[in-house]
Amino acid sequence: MASRSLAMDQFLGHSTKSGGTGQFLRGWRKRNPPAVQIVLHKHAPIVALWQHGIPRIFEKKDEKTGEVTRVTFGGNFNCLEDESVLVKQYRRDRDTGERVLPPVVCPVCRLLEALRMLYADGQIGFADDVFRWDGDDPNDVQVLTLGGMLNLYGNNRLSDEEKEAMSDAGIKLSEAWKENTWSKCNYLFTVVDSDEPEAGVQIAIETTGLGDATKECIHSQIVSEGEERGNPIVTPYVIRWEHHPNAKEFNKKYKAYPVRKIAITPQVMELIDSDPPDIDNLIRGGNVTKLRAELEARCVLKDPSIIPWDDVFGPAEAAGYGDKEEEPEPDAEPEDAPPPVVRKKAEPAPAKAESKAPPAKAEPAPAPAASGRKRKETKPEPEPEPEPPASEETIPCDECGAPMSPTATKCEKCGAEYEVEPDEPAEPAKAEPPAKPAKPAKAETKPAAAAPATTGKKKLPF
């Protein structure tokens, strides 16, 4: 027989449900200073959550007037691929251009590959708008362009034609990285705010930058204090999260420090030792049926049918990821949700732009009707500083989009650090049979076999 004696305050807060769904840690980056002091829950896992940035429309209700306004914000779709595929998502075969580990089931990963090939075939322009979301406010617009989704605008091997397309579309390198739709790793923490324990157990979905800072904090404590005392799950202690938005280097935008001088109160201790909230709804695979309907409706290409929708979504639908019950909206206003991963453009929607545009600018409006973007005559912004040799393969940085060597462990522009696996010994393996002298003659014919791969398709710089 299970029994538990309850004090009055425990009785008033007692629940027979298993942890509930939890609240979100709201808006701590907006505090002055932008910091929060948290204690990790003792029985909740820290989850590596791979997500794609996909905008959403959020219906915001005014509590005073009851009026509902549709606003855009940066939502996320939980990636369906295995992490072993995602950690190598930027690695491609040098000869074919195909991913070393192609996506199998995730529709967003497969969509990015489909868009890449459509560009190679000349069916989509480099800076063309692909998807668009409009809020009720004509200035509330979020657009995903081809180059933005593939995180290509910072690539220093772009052609003059591609740079001109960026200039014509008004693409700003300082903002374009936010359109990056590749899968990114966020971290889900279950915490208690030590300064506001009355808020209860809360869920925080944070960026890789803060996740890495927290790892460093805990690791340093384990080294200095030992395995048990340094582990905040075994021996709880306060961790201070700080946000430094003006830091130039990405790896300095977030800091995490142990604050042992702050004692863990009985109230906080009880919360972190309670049943953890249910996070299944937050970490399960995204709703494929809902996503397909949303993207098909938001597609602004002249001919949306050029996207192979069935091929993109088919594997996920066949695997049973479709027709799930709809996920609830996050229990947070858009401004309190994790930072948007797409840019907002302060431009009127196409229909309203025609009526409000001055006569002098009325002519160019019909042409980009799908985008609503004003043409800029300025030259493209300067490219990132370090330019690798033309023969060197580059991949974009996950955070700032700057080109970097596939073997680099740190981005020279933003400072983001990576763990790089050594290349598989594929090339040395091919070099093993040098003992056979007849094979050099065959090697001379191999370039001819590669010719069919360049059948009129554009040579991709990525």
Side-chain angles (χ1 to χ4, degrees):
M1 177 178 177
S3 63
R4 177 187 174 194
S5 299
L6 302 174
M8 180 57 69
D9 59 341
Q10 294 174 321
F11 168 68
L12 294 176
H14 186 254
S15 172
T16 58
K17 296 182 179 179
S18 178
T21 57
Q23 302 293 317
F24 283 85
L25 181 62
R26 298 177 176 228
W28 65 268
R29 293 175 183 80
K30 298 179 182 178
R31 298 179 184 177
N32 188 16
V36 63
Q37 298 180 148
I38 60 95
V39 183
L40 293 172
H41 197 286
K42 294 180 64 177
H43 309 296
I46 297 173
V47 181
L49 189 59
W50 290 81
Q51 298 179 310
H52 297 278
I54 303 292
R56 290 187 180 184
I57 297 293
F58 179 84
E59 293 188 350
K60 188 175 182 179
K61 185 176 182 180
D62 189 303
E63 295 182 359
K64 294 182 179 179
T65 65
E67 182 181 359
V68 176
T69 305
R70 288 163 51 87
V71 298
T72 69
F73 76 103
N76 287 308
F77 177 84
N78 289 352
C79 185
L80 305 181
E81 293 298 332
D82 188 81
E83 190 172 53
S84 62
V85 174
L86 298 174
V87 295
K88 294 186 177 181
Q89 62 183 330
Y90 290 126
R91 300 186 64 175
R92 295 185 179 274
D93 183 278
R94 291 172 183 255
D95 296 326
T96 66
E98 299 297 322
R99 280 173 58 167
V100 173
L101 290 178
V104 177
V105 65
C106 179
V108 182
C109 291
R110 294 174 65 84
L111 173 64
L112 293 175
E113 294 304 299
L115 292 175
R116 183 177 182 274
M117 296 313 299
L118 287 171
Y119 173 65
D121 290 337
Q123 298 187 63
I124 301 180
F126 184 65
D128 282 359
D129 291 351
V130 182
F131 300 103
R132 176 181 176 122
W133 287 258
D134 293 274
D136 288 339
D137 185 331
N139 291 326
D140 184 14
V141 179
Q142 290 201 41
V143 174
L144 293 182
T145 61
L146 175 85
M149 293 182 70
L150 294 172
N151 197 28
L152 298 175
Y153 293 136
N155 193 312
N156 68 340
R157 297 172 65 187
L158 300 181
S159 66
D160 291 339
E161 180 184 358
E162 288 163 340
K163 294 175 184 177
E164 183 179 357
M166 288 176 59
S167 177
D168 291 344
I171 302 296
K172 295 182 179 180
L173 286 179
S174 59
E175 298 179 359
W177 64 271
K178 297 178 183 178
E179 294 183 40
N180 182 358
T181 313
W182 293 101
S183 186
K184 284 188 176 184
C185 180
N186 293 321
Y187 289 99
L188 185 151
F189 299 92
T190 303
V191 304
V192 172
D193 185 340
S194 68
D195 294 327
E196 298 180 4
E198 60 276 7
V201 178
Q202 300 181 84
I203 294 168
I205 300 178
E206 303 294 343
T207 66
T208 300
L210 183 55
D212 290 344
T214 305
K215 294 177 200 173
E216 293 179 9
C217 169
I218 296 173
H219 177 71
S220 67
Q221 287 298 292
I222 291 177
V223 170
S224 63
E225 302 291 338
E227 288 285 344
E228 290 192 6
R229 182 170 164 76
N231 187 334
I233 302 299
V234 178
T235 307
Y237 56 85
V238 173
I239 297 176
R240 179 181 175 86
W241 284 346
E242 293 182 356
H243 184 212
H244 300 273
N246 297 324
K248 293 183 179 180
E249 295 185 27
F250 175 78
N251 62 346
K252 294 183 179 179
K253 289 184 179 293
Y254 290 96
K255 298 292 182 182
Y257 305 101
V259 189
R260 290 188 177 272
K261 66 181 181 180
I262 299 180
I264 305 293
T265 66
Q267 183 182 9
V268 171
M269 185 61 74
E270 182 178 2
L271 287 169
I272 64 174
D273 202 25
S274 64
D275 291 334
D278 182 5
I279 61 172
D280 288 347
N281 199 42
L282 297 173
I283 65 176
R284 71 185 183 190
N287 187 321
V288 171
T289 302
K290 180 181 177 181
L291 178 68
R292 178 170 185 170
E294 177 74 4
L295 292 183
E296 288 185 350
R298 303 294 176 185
C299 185
V300 291
L301 294 173
K302 291 182 179 179
D303 182 11
S305 67
I306 64 174
I307 295 179
W309 299 104
D310 290 340
D311 182 61
V312 166
F313 283 89
E317 292 170 342
Y321 286 104
D323 296 323
K324 291 182 179 178
E325 66 178 60
E326 186 173 335
E327 302 98 329
E329 294 291 345
D331 185 20
E333 295 294 315
E335 59 268 21
D336 292 325
V341 293
V342 290
R343 60 191 166 100
K344 285 195 175 185
K345 305 192 306 176
E347 307 167 26
K352 298 182 182 180
E354 294 180 8
S355 60
K356 293 186 179 181
K361 296 183 180 179
E363 283 186 14
S371 68
R373 188 188 282 112
K374 295 180 181 178
R375 184 184 182 94
K376 289 181 67 177
E377 299 299 330
T378 57
K379 294 182 179 180
E381 296 186 22
E383 301 148 24
E385 305 83 31
E387 182 171 340
S391 61
E392 181 181 352
E393 179 188 6
T394 62
I395 59 175
C397 171
D398 290 359
E399 302 301 333
C400 70
M404 56 187 293
S405 168
T407 59
T409 59
K410 183 176 181 179
C411 174
E412 295 185 24
K413 182 177 181 182
C414 70
E417 296 184 353
Y418 298 84
E419 293 182 1
V420 179
E421 296 181 7
D423 287 338
E424 293 81 355
E427 293 183 6
K430 292 180 181 177
E432 281 180 12
K436 298 182 180 180
K439 291 198 173 179
K442 291 184 180 179
E444 295 176 3
T445 63
K446 284 187 178 179
T454 58
T455 55
K457 291 188 177 182
K458 294 183 181 179
K459 183 178 180 181
L460 301 178
F462 47 89

